[in-house]
Amino acid sequence: MHIVVCIKQVPDSAQIRVHPVTNTIMRQGVPTIINPYDLFSLEEALRLRDKFGGEVTVLTMGPPMAADSLRKALTIGADRAVLLTDRFFAGSDTLATSFALAQAIRKIGEEFGAPDIVFAGKQTIDGDTAQVGPGVAKRLDLLQLTYVSAISGLDLEDKSITIERRSEGGVQILKTRLPCLVTMLEGSNVVRRGRIEDALRAARADVVAWNAKDAGIEDVTKCGLRGSPTVVKRVFAPPPRAEKAAQIDLAVHKTPNDMAEAMIEAMFAHSPSLEGDMTKLAAGF
Amino acid sequence: MIDEKFDAIVIGAGHAGNAAAYTMASRGMKVLQLERGEYPGSKNVQGGILYADMLEKIIPDFREEAPLERHLIEQRFWFMTDRSHTGMHYRSDDFNEDRPNRYTIIRSQFDRWFARQAQAKGAVLLSETTAVELIQDAYGKAVGVRTDRTGGVLHADVVVLAEGVNGLLGARAGLRETPKPAHVALAVKEMHFLPPEVIEARFNLKGNEGAVIEAAGTISQGMAGMGFIYTNKESISVGIGCLVSDFAENKTSPSELLDAFKKHPSVAPLIEGSEVKEYAAHLIPEGGYKAVPQTFGDGWVICGDAAGLNNAVHREGSNLAMTSGRLAGEAIFQIKSRREKMNAENLSLYRKYLDDSFVMKDLRKHKDMPALLHTQAQNLFLTYPQLVSRAMENFVRVDGTPKIEKEKDTFRAVRKARGFGVIGDAVRLALAWR
Amino acid sequence: MSEQKPAAGGRASMKKELPEKFREYKHVWVFIEMERGVVHPVSFELLGEGRKLADKLGVELAGVVLGSGSEDVKHAARESFAYGADLVYLVEHPTLADYRNEPYSKALTDLVNAHKPEILLLGATTLSRDLAGSVATTLLTGLTADCTELNVDDDKSLAATRPTFGGSLLCTIYTLNYRPQMATVRPRVMRMPERIEGRAGRIVPFAPDLDEANIITKILRFLPDRESRKSNLAFADVVVAGGMGLQNAENFQLVRNLAATLGAEFGCSRPMVQKGWVSADRQIGQTGKTIRPKLYIAAGISGAIQHRVGVEGADLIVAINTDKNAPIFDFAHIGITTDAIRFLPALTEAFRQRLSPHSKDRLAG
Ligand SMILES: Cc1cc2nc3c(=O)[nH]c(=O)nc-3n(C[C@H](O)[C@H](O)[C@H](O)COP(=O)(O)OP(=O)(O)OC[C@H]3O[C@@H](n4cnc5c(N)ncnc54)[C@H](O)[C@@H]3O)c2cc1C
Ligand SMILES: Cc1cc2nc3c(=O)[nH]c(=O)nc-3n(C[C@H](O)[C@H](O)[C@H](O)COP(=O)(O)OP(=O)(O)OC[C@H]3O[C@@H](n4cnc5c(N)ncnc54)[C@H](O)[C@@H]3O)c2cc1C
Ligand SMILES: Nc1ncnc2c1ncn2[C@@H]1O[C@H](COP(=O)(O)O)[C@@H](O)[C@H]1O
């Protein structure tokens, strides 16, 4: 069995900095990580490989330094890594990203065997759209299984897969055919650390680097900015409210009790209907 | 089970480990390097000043690629009281030379780069891999390490312990002691981000020029310790450290000291409006020469902070670490090329190299400094700064008091505080520093 | 939007003429999401927003209802009118009984191609996110996820604003030269519009080209969530939340206490969840719940953009923070610069007295 896992290198967003003057992202020195959601998909892929045999190929599209994330995926236990990198890909939106990834997956299929399952993360923490997975599925004409909380059955003879899928109000149990695309729900498994053998192998492994041409992409107008129907026109800091919060005057109200009373007065003065509503609520109506 | 054997395993990818790995790998040795952090430098802390000379000896053209922040053209020493500082500045345009002598660096970026250079030379680096046990054979010779990953033991002819100040591996194997509270300082540091233009305006810099402030005085509340402010490209590192034993005795914490330091009227305007994005705490070995453990044995050597090679007086550590790593690498390579055993007798070559270098010479020279700073802390860090400040204020303030009165006040204050002990202290300090 | 950088003036201003084939794309559509016969409230919120867009553009607002031929579908259509739709496209087929990607994305794509809307809005739910990605890719058009604000600008294109890059920034995204312009919006981000009982509209039926025999994915079972599992955070009238300013899990009890006294729901900022101090379904913000209470009290929360977008719909925001410069004071209505750990117990007690049965009698009398 061959499984492809799409992972993305993202800035460790808790640490992102914004330039106070130009409002641009200051990426310098911001550490990068594998998109945390992708790790659940990677782990699930490794479990299936361990159980059914076969290989796991990790794929990312990004700048050359994204190779670090691929190597980390190898350390965790993936068998092969492909980096899709080319200046033509710069500025891709989700549509252009899914195009490039789909092409690369086709090429991976030609080179290393057609994948039975493609995994993507539920969403990224930087783009945060959850669109690339479904996009890749559509472009490759794969059946699509998103928000999967468990893979409960896989039959390679029969080419069938049974999964549990989180929906708004419950869990759907779906059965469909391979090949398919799966995005895993966070928390559905615990990612492994990788054995010392994997770490050694990863440290020495080659990361296959493909440019657009290598990936079999002839029409580069479908990539990057040119292939992106959406355009970011404006980036801005959220405007403050016209006036800042009215502050309770601590020179007047000194003890916590005083402050609390003043606060409640201020609330009810701001929204006169609140007192009635809250009285009912507090009484349990 | 891994049956592969390496020429050397290096524990740690800090300055010492990277220097050792680079030195050996570039000479064609088969080197495995283990780093417990997510990537080299992810857990490492330094002010941090990098001394170019010692790195040049390892990678001569490092300036072309290494992630350097600013080259230093100005050094300030501040003697602080709660409301004042008396300062000495040294600034010279000569430091704007082609090959500047000192740089500020950010460890998370620098260590990663340095480790990559070793990898480019063929060293194999495993990150997020902690060495948990030194494996010794029946005769006590180190033959490899066990890691926290599942799988077997990694074997090598020699293990280079460059694991930093905590050095659990060496301590566990009984090769060295865990650092005593009186021999390590605990330093805390914050990175304050500001636009480069603002930093340049506040410190009177342009382009890649940088400045450093070292501060001592009442900020350490009578304990032996120093504060520092270093300029990076887009941030200012602010930190302070004191001996761990002092913190315990004085029931105060480094973060309290740092808070007070940041609020000091001389410091606050420098960092005003900044965004704090990183807080780190780290130990610094300050035992000096007398606390250096055995540095070599059968199948092992110790370098850098793990061996206590740190010159607290001059706040140098990175250069000693790099140099000791390089010397360990060179000694091991010598032994290997002679096809000799990595036993204690042969590895004593490393110690000889160390003794012949500035590393041991400097440490030996300052060997009495740690004790002196400790016993005289009250005077050096509380009394004297206040006396100096009083003298300066008397000197500078023009308020109609006759000059002669002011002078008398200054001397009276000195005599009352310390009598003629001041002179003795000065002499002792000078002797230890010399 | 995976790796989208703000385009330099160049491309953003490079707006070409809309290609001929897209000129006839007109009207605003809202996908009416149904699960097990129940319309997701986000659909009504979107109708409210879609109404505004349609009025500005001078076009019609349509609801799109997909389902199997049952009373539920008719009901969904009637509700759509009540919340502002001028017409409803009704797509009925047995294969559409429960959500599956294959038949839904085919039906919706065919409908778009047949009736050509200029704007198509969907909820950012597990169902609609699954659907929107497929449909947009098939149509090769742009899709902007998790918008917090929708508008039409002077040249009548959709300006979709969303938080970006996990930083403290928002960005406005356009879909140039393609139609429809698609966007998803998370539940509770938009205000629920007023329901007008008996408001009528046209029903336009659409017969999808579907056949169960061609649909590969089968639903074996559906296990509905037990109601009790869910917190009512998103729909509560009063919400009290705590953040890292509370410093540890124990102090979070102060928030629970105040909430209990008020009969309110409690919530928290993301780091509290990451620390494991509070369960994930209590997180408020971009990656948690969006709330629209009458009163929101935030204790020890800095007010980062990701938190802000989740609470901005509150009628009254009250912030307790020790830092007078905390960003939360930029969008709170009432603030107090003090230690929440000391203040919360006092506030709880003061409320207890103020809202006691005694004062209720007074109110009733
Ligand atoms: C606040 C502060 C400011 C400083 N400022 C300066 C300055 O301005 N200039 C200067 O020259 N020096 C400065 N120093 C000192 C300098 O940082 C150290 O001397 C230097 O980092 C020592 O290098 P090292 O390689 O020995 O140890 P480290 O840099 O600590 O590296 C040790 C490495 O080993 C890894 N490791 C540890 N145990 C294991 C294990 N079991 N398995 C695998 N990996 C392991 C660690 O993760 C780490 O990467 C400062 C120190 C501090 C704390
Ligand atoms: C992709 C992404 C998605 C995210 N999604 C969300 C989300 O959905 N929801 C969310 O909340 N966050 C989210 N975040 C995180 C968000 O950026 C902030 O990090 C987070 O909201 C900060 O939480 P906080 O305000 O509790 O903590 P902090 O930022 O640490 O702020 C603590 C505040 O408490 C104050 N304080 C300290 N002590 C006291 C005291 N004793 N009394 C009163 N005040 C005190 C401080 O002044 C400070 O303002 C997201 C981030 C990313 C990158
Ligand atoms: N540049 C990329 N390279 C590889 N995979 C990606 C990339 N961008 C997105 N993905 C995949 O698509 C998923 C959803 O991304 P997003 O739509 O950006 O939220 C991610 O979790 C990844 O698995």
Side-chain angles (χ1 to χ4, degrees), chain C residues 18 36 71 77 87 93 108 115 136 153 183-184 208 223 300 328 331 348:
Chain C
L18 191 63
R36 312 246 110 191
E71 199 39 49
L87 70 156
H93 195 271
L108 184 55
H115 290 280
D153 75 356
T184 63
L223 313 170
I328 195 151
F331 60 94
T348 307

Side-chain angles (χ1 to χ4, degrees), chain A residues 15-21 26 28-29 31-33 68 72 75 193-197 199-200 203-204, chain B residues 1-2 4 6 38-39 69 109 112 116 124-126 128-129 147-152 154 193 195 234 277:
Chain A
Q15 307 194 33
I16 252 181
R17 284 178 293 120
V18 176
H19 193 287
V21 181
M26 313 209 300
Q28 199 216 6
T32 55
I33 52 173
D68 286 349
K72 182 143 182 200
T75 304
R193 276 212 67 214
R195 299 162 307 163
I196 193 81
E197 288 89 336
L200 257 179
R204 290 168 162 157
Chain B
M1 181 64 211
I2 300 158
E4 189 174 355
F6 295 86
E38 197 193 333
Y39 55 87
E69 293 288 305
Q109 289 161 39
R112 204 171 197 175
R116 256 185 229 278
V124 173
L125 170 72
L126 308 188
E128 286 181 284
T129 307
T147 74
D148 64 337
R149 288 186 186 271
T150 54
L154 297 159
F193 282 87
E234 297 182 342
K277 280 282 170 166

Side-chain angles (χ1 to χ4, degrees), chain A residues 6-8 35 38 60-61 101 120-121 123-124 129-132, chain C residues 2:
Chain A
C6 298
I7 65 171
K8 186 179 180 196
N35 175 38
D38 299 349
T60 196
M61 177 180 98
L101 289 175
Q123 68 198 67
T124 51
T129 74
Q131 282 164 205
V132 171
Chain C
S2 63

Side-chain angles (χ1 to χ4, degrees), chain A residues 8 11 13 16 18 23-25 27 37 91-95 97-98 122-123 125-132 134-135 138-139 143-147 162 165-177 225-226 228-241 243-248 250 256-257 259-261 263-268 270-271 274-279 281-283 285, chain C residues 1-7 11-12 33 35 40 99 101-102 105 125-126 129-130 133-134 136-138 140-146 161-162 165-176 178 216-225 229-230 238 261-263 286-287 294-295 297 305 308 315-318 320 329-338 342-343 346-347 350-351 354-355 360 362-363:
Chain A
K8 186 179 180 196
S13 48
I16 252 181
V18 176
N23 263 350
T24 49
I25 307 292
R27 276 172 177 275
Y37 292 108
S92 300
D93 73 355
T94 52
L95 195 75
T97 302
S98 67
K122 184 189 96 177
Q123 68 198 67
I125 61 168
D126 61 346
D128 211 1
T129 74
Q131 282 164 205
V132 171
K138 187 63 31 188
R139 289 185 180 271
L143 292 152
Q144 164 183 326
L145 301 165
T146 56
Y147 302 96
T162 309
R165 174 178 190 274
R166 168 118 298 272
S167 79
E168 285 298 308
V171 175
Q172 286 183 320
I173 301 184
L174 299 177
K175 182 167 180 181
T176 195
R177 221 164 45 212
L225 264 182
R226 281 200 282 172
S228 302
T230 63
V231 159
V232 179
K233 259 211 173 160
R234 202 159 78 89
V235 176
F236 57 102
R241 212 189 276 282
E243 68 256 51
K244 290 192 91 174
Q247 289 279 349
I248 303 298
L250 300 184
N257 290 342
M259 292 175 346
E261 307 247 329
M263 180 81 131
I264 294 172
E265 280 312 324
M267 289 182 211
F268 292 163
H270 184 282
S271 314
L274 205 55
E275 181 163 13
D277 293 343
M278 288 182 72
T279 307
L281 194 65
F285 287 118
Chain C
M1 261 281 315
S2 63
E3 182 53 22
Q4 206 162 46
K5 300 192 182 63
R11 191 181 129 93
E33 170 175 336
E35 190 177 73
H40 197 296
Y99 176 75
N101 181 270
E102 288 169 82
S105 61
T125 59
T126 54
R129 277 182 151 198
D130 185 275
S134 301
T137 311
T138 314
L140 296 175
T141 190
L143 168 59
T144 306
D146 287 6
T161 298
R162 71 185 301 258
F165 270 125
S168 307
L169 296 178
L170 295 165
C171 65
T172 303
I173 295 179
Y174 287 76
T175 296
L176 299 183
Y178 291 87
I216 298 166
T217 305
K218 305 290 176 201
I219 300 178
L220 302 187
R221 254 182 328 144
F222 185 86
L223 313 170
D225 291 332
R229 239 188 46 148
K230 286 191 169 175
V238 179
T261 302
L262 298 180
Q286 188 199 343
T287 47
K294 292 179 180 152
L295 170 64
I297 301 177
I305 183 72
R308 176 174 173 171
D315 294 335
L316 173 59
I317 300 175
V318 173
I320 308 161
F329 290 134
D330 289 345
F331 60 94
H333 301 89
I334 300 175
I336 185 163
T337 309
T338 191
R342 290 185 54 214
F343 181 67
L347 186 63
F351 264 126
R354 180 74 179 243
L355 305 175
K360 197 180 68 192
R362 192 191 58 196
L363 218 78

